[in-house]
Amino acid sequence: MKRLLYTIWICCIMVLCCGCDNGQIQAPRRYMDTAMGTVISQSIYCPGEEGARNFTNRSMALLRELEQEMLSRRLETSELFRINASAGSQEGCQISLELFRLLQECTELSQASEGAFEITLGELVELWNIDQWAVGEPEQEKPAFSQEEILRVRDLCGYYRMKLESKEEYRIFLPEGMSLDLGAVGKGYALDRMRTILEEEEEITGAILSVGGNVLTYGRKPDGSSWKVGIVNPFEISSNIGVLSLEGQWCVSTSGDYERYVEVEGVRYHHILDPATGYPARSGVRSVTILSENGMQGDALSTACFILGPEKGMALAATYGVQALFILEDGQLVLSEGMERYWSESEQ
Ligand code: ADP
Ligand code: MG
């Protein structure tokens, strides 16, 4: 519950989709709901109520289906649950073409990021107990395990040890002890799927959607102004450090150390893990924002770039043709050239 309330707040800060309410100009229709363990906010420009309602009904059904049938690690109904339960078996696990493609793309991202992005670290996520950390509420309890335990569990990970097979059907084989976690891509992937529904609803002229802080902009506002997406200030998370002004169709994905963490004796343990060490990444970065056309890629790259740090991260972003913004521990902002075009810093 606390996590949801906190996320509602962060979403409100991030999405400054200001519609004009001055009579002549159509205001957006706003909807808030929860799915995939997070807050979904949708602002839709559509002349008729029905078109917007159709869309939100379809999009919420889609998100619930994605969670229940594909992405959840906890629900026994999901493909991911079945995959993880099959680890170590000879016959592996049969999966849908959709998930097969998503996992293939994850493998490419792991290769491109030299293993920084690593969906096979499910057991490490379990060990750190990340899902239990209340968002925005650092507990003071020390994680109760040893370095040996961390290294032992880290050694269970490695995308190159997971095997994908496509013959008459699609299968995946995980070695004993390995499990997958799609927490770093699920929300971005969901936005890609929501965009497809938007395209089908012809009445909708513009929309700005947020799935737990990952934002999709679509079409245009009736008054012709740009979409405004606020970027949280990691040093003062109740405010924005700046705003992206965007035209048309974009995905904005941010990974930060303030989203979910515990603090022990002045050390912050956050939820973005470095597969090389088994510990939360220490790359001198507080947050990374990726601006991309593809939501799944943007989501994965924001996580990977956080771990890689600004130099390697910028190079990775460039190979994917996406824009990046790094906020460093010393307060410095590092922006890719393309990002500068959309960025304006908040006045302090
Ligand atoms: P958020 O989900 O808060 O927006 P991210 O997109 O960066 O943040 O995803 C972080 C989540 O991804 C973690 O909670 C964990 O489930 C998973 N994760 C952590 N480290 C990695 C990593 N190196 N590669 C892939 N997934 C990771
Ligand atoms: Mg991510």
Side-chain angles (χ1 to χ4, degrees), residues 3-17 28-36 38-44 49 52-53 55-57 59-60 63-64 194 208-213:
R3 181 178 300 173
L4 279 182
L5 287 174
Y6 176 79
T7 316
I8 291 177
W9 174 47
I10 287 278
C11 291
C12 294
I13 301 171
M14 288 192 76
V15 183
L16 306 170
C17 43
R29 299 173 195 279
R30 294 197 166 96
Y31 305 88
M32 278 264 207
D33 209 333
T34 57
M36 295 173 67
T38 193
V39 176
I40 317 300
S41 82
Q42 314 187 58
S43 286
I44 295 157
E49 163 103 42
R53 263 274 159 234
F55 170 73
T56 53
N57 288 341
S59 64
M60 290 312 298
L63 295 179
R64 295 196 172 111
M194 287 164 95
I208 182 161
L209 314 178
S210 163
V211 176

Side-chain angles (χ1 to χ4, degrees), residues 124 127-128 143 145-157 269 274 277-280:
L124 208 52
L127 181 69
W128 281 99
F145 42 81
S146 62
Q147 164 137 27
E148 288 76 52
E149 183 66 353
I150 292 174
L151 295 181
R152 185 189 69 76
V153 174
R154 181 207 60 181
D155 290 343
L156 297 170
C157 311
Y269 298 90
D274 184 346
T277 62
Y279 281 79

Side-chain angles (χ1 to χ4, degrees), residues 3 6 44 52 61 112 118 130 179 206-207 236 251 282 290 294 298 306:
R3 181 178 300 173
Y6 176 79
I44 295 157
E118 182 60 91
I130 284 173
S179 76
E236 181 55 72
C251 288
R282 302 239 171 280
I290 297 288
N294 181 295
F306 186 103

Side-chain angles (χ1 to χ4, degrees), residues 73 116-119 121 125 130 181 183-184 187 214 254-255 259-260 271-273 275 299 302-303 307:
R73 252 191 12 230
F117 176 74
E118 182 60 91
I119 58 164
L121 44 58
V125 170
I130 284 173
D181 177 289
K187 290 181 272 186
N214 282 51
T254 299
S255 292
E259 288 171 336
R260 222 182 270 186
H271 72 320
I272 302 168
L273 302 173
D299 199 356
S302 66
T303 309
I307 296 155

